Amino acid sequence: MSFDRPFDRRRLLGHSLAAGGLVSLSGCMSPGRGAAVTSRIIGASPGIVPMRASVDRIIDIKVCLRPFRPQGPRLDTEMLGDTLVIHNYGHGGSGWSLSWGSAEVAVGKAASALPDRVAVVGCGIIGLTSAVMAQRAGMQVTIYTREVFSRTRSVRANGSWTPDSRIALTQPAGEAFGALWERMARFSWKSFRAYLGLPGNPVDFADQYRLSDEPFTSHGEEEEAPPPGKGNYASTGMPQDSSEFASYGERIADITPGHEVLAPGSAPFAAPYVRRSSNMFFNFSTYGHYLMQEFLENGGKIEIREFHEPGELAQLKEKVVINCPGYAARDLWRDSKLIPVRGQTAWLIPQPEVHYGLYINNVSALSKADGLMIQAFRPGLGDMEGVGDSNELPDRAESEAGVEVIRKAFMGFRIG
Ligand SMILES: Cc1cc2nc3c(=O)[nH]c(=O)nc-3n(C[C@H](O)[C@H](O)[C@H](O)COP(=O)(O)OP(=O)(O)OC[C@H]3O[C@@H](n4cnc5c(N)ncnc54)[C@H](O)[C@@H]3O)c2cc1C
């Protein structure tokens, strides 16, 4: 299962426990620690305005490469001459979600050198949050970047809370990374709370509906998470199947919302089986605006500059550098462990009156401030979709097919 989707496989498992035979269960818990997977049959879902999904409303198609490393993001340090470089890249499908926690780790390492000023390479979501965190720790910051925030790969993402989406493989990452992941996820979750309720909703929550023609129990776990043990990535670094991707959601089950099964007929969708959860998401333009505003108001400087090899960082006047080039580290830092995982989203005319997301037949839709976003997944691939694919050209047919699935989901929709 792709974790860009607002439902994770542990919740699916929790759901399948609860939905069998559509009996009413209250407080059905996942077997793991924490209580996030709370499934029960409940009543109506008010205020659902139909999504206007049609191909003539597509205003943009974006392609992005998730910067995936089997062992998890790179957060180690190295010396280039007299310059301390702190790496902060390779966050797979979780960069938005883990950004603050990862910045906290990187800035902590920078602070150990007691610098007055630091350089940040890159102005994607990782570079920008690192820069703001460094300022909050009292440092003067210059961002050196090839592109400003609005042109980075970051704004071509989905932008939902998906903190363990293709973040690592279970094997090379190991338990130590699990603990670090939890620290980053908890720190980020808390940090996002400061942006809730601000004008323009930079960070927001919305209900997410998962629709199905069949009871959720018949969606075997296999479809979402293929059986383990098939893979052999030792030689290539590439995962061989979805089951090799690490899954850490259970570690933060105490702070993340669970899901509910709606009583048949209580939701206006034609699909008979409906499950609802709530998930946090990020509105790129307003959230980016708040981050840039804080950075500039605190004296931050941005210099447009492209680096071609690591040695150039040692020429900067700042002797502490936080390195956040995202997928570009594959070339810049010759990091062959960095694997591209392609993903594509279609953006339709914004519908501010719609405030929810949908997932049906391998297509997800989410109404955001800057557009109705539709992302189609190929059946059966799960997290393997796009692995090793560095093609950044949009595939319009893929997006149109996804839009069509969402359009059909509203045939037979009951208004009022
Ligand atoms: C389809 C898709 C959906 C996603 N959905 C989600 C989601 O829902 N939730 C989530 O948490 N994550 C999601 N992600 C993952 C997330 O987008 C990434 O993890 C994140 O954007 C990585 O950010 P970054 O700042 O490291 O990289 P980038 O955004 O690529 O930024 C890199 C920066 O470095 C600069 N740079 C690069 N090379 C050089 C150079 N040589 N010299 C100078 N500057 C340079 C660039 O100009 C840019 O400013 C998704 C990704 C994809 C592809």
Side-chain angles (χ1 to χ4, degrees):
M1 176 176 189
S2 166
F3 284 74
D4 295 340
R5 287 172 255 181
F7 305 98
D8 71 31
R9 48 174 94 107
R10 293 188 195 285
R11 288 183 189 159
L12 188 85
L13 175 61
H15 171 265
S16 56
L17 289 173
L22 287 175
V23 290
S24 177
L25 292 177
S26 185
C28 173
M29 311 303 294
S30 74
R33 61 203 194 100
V37 184
T38 307
S39 251
R40 59 202 153 93
I41 307 283
I42 57 147
S45 42
I48 301 182
V49 176
M51 291 175 173
R52 296 175 65 188
S54 61
V55 294
D56 60 327
R57 290 175 67 87
I58 297 176
I59 51 173
D60 198 7
I61 297 175
K62 302 187 196 183
V63 181
C64 172
L65 304 180
R66 301 171 185 86
F68 172 72
R69 299 178 85 244
Q71 42 285 97
R74 187 166 181 200
L75 283 158
D76 62 330
T77 63
E78 66 180 284
M79 293 300 295
L80 285 178
D82 60 350
T83 301
L84 171 65
V85 177
I86 300 125
H87 296 292
N88 190 10
Y89 68 79
H91 297 75
S94 304
W96 280 87
S97 310
L98 294 179
S99 53
W100 288 110
S102 197
E104 192 238 0
V105 172
V107 170
K109 292 181 179 184
S112 66
L114 300 175
D116 294 335
R117 55 180 64 232
V118 297
V120 172
V121 172
C123 194
I125 192 59
I126 299 295
L128 195 47
T129 47
S130 296
V132 168
M133 281 292 289
Q135 288 180 323
R136 291 180 187 175
M139 302 169 204
Q140 286 178 38
V141 184
T142 300
I143 295 176
Y144 298 89
T145 185
R146 193 170 58 197
E147 290 121 356
V148 292
F149 181 71
S150 58
R151 301 185 68 94
T152 61
R153 289 193 172 102
S154 288
V155 297
R156 297 186 230 142
N158 169 318
S160 297
W161 171 255
T162 59
D164 66 350
S165 166
R166 300 174 180 96
I167 187 63
L169 297 185
T170 311
Q171 267 312 318
E175 188 51 28
F177 178 67
L180 178 63
W181 177 90
E182 181 174 346
R183 171 180 157 191
M184 296 193 293
R186 286 184 184 277
F187 189 91
S188 291
W189 182 260
K190 244 188 203 321
S191 304
F192 287 125
R193 286 196 38 73
Y195 293 89
L196 286 171
L198 291 178
N201 297 317
V203 177
D204 204 355
F205 273 86
D207 284 342
Q208 314 280 334
Y209 294 90
R210 186 183 181 106
L211 312 184
S212 175
D213 289 333
E214 299 161 28
F216 290 104
T217 39
S218 65
H219 291 244
E221 274 294 289
E222 201 157 321
E223 183 203 325
E224 305 295 337
K230 280 197 219 144
N232 173 18
Y233 45 78
S235 55
T236 61
M238 298 268 277
Q240 301 298 302
D241 68 46
S242 273
S243 67
E244 292 172 12
F245 286 93
S247 175
Y248 298 117
E250 225 171 77
R251 286 176 169 267
I252 55 166
D254 58 313
I255 51 168
T256 42
H259 66 249
E260 303 156 314
V261 180
L262 301 192
S266 63
F269 303 105
Y273 299 99
V274 181
R275 201 179 70 185
R276 181 173 65 193
S277 62
S278 195
N279 200 34
M280 186 165 68
F281 68 97
F282 319 109
N283 284 311
F284 297 143
S285 23
T286 38
Y287 183 48
H289 185 71
Y290 276 102
L291 293 177
M292 283 299 299
Q293 194 175 16
E294 178 173 347
F295 178 68
L296 296 173
E297 278 175 359
N298 288 320
K301 304 236 170 357
I302 296 186
E303 195 175 309
I304 301 299
R305 174 158 178 188
E306 178 166 11
F307 299 95
H308 300 95
E309 53 108 9
E312 291 173 34
L313 271 63
Q315 313 300 321
L316 296 173
K317 59 180 181 296
E318 296 86 358
K319 292 296 143 201
V320 175
V321 180
I322 304 178
N323 184 38
C324 315
Y327 178 70
R330 190 177 161 91
D331 290 334
L332 177 60
W333 229 268
R334 315 257 188 284
D335 185 346
S336 58
K337 295 196 176 86
L338 208 44
I339 296 169
V341 183
R342 182 187 187 277
Q344 175 171 310
T345 48
W347 295 77
L348 279 61
I349 297 170
Q351 266 192 275
E353 72 280 13
V354 173
H355 194 253
Y356 61 92
L358 207 62
Y359 180 79
I360 180 169
N361 293 339
N362 296 297
V363 178
S364 81
L366 177 62
S367 182
K368 303 178 77 167
D370 39 1
L372 176 65
M373 181 192 64
I374 296 183
Q375 190 172 7
F377 303 91
R378 270 176 273 161
L381 284 184
D383 287 346
M384 291 301 293
E385 176 147 3
V387 169
D389 186 352
S390 60
N391 177 6
E392 292 191 84
L393 293 176
D395 175 351
R396 185 165 177 106
E398 176 188 317
S399 286
E400 288 195 358
V403 171
E404 190 57 12
V405 168
I406 298 300
R407 187 185 69 77
K408 284 187 179 151
F410 286 93
M411 290 165 71
F413 184 86
R414 301 186 301 277
I415 296 177

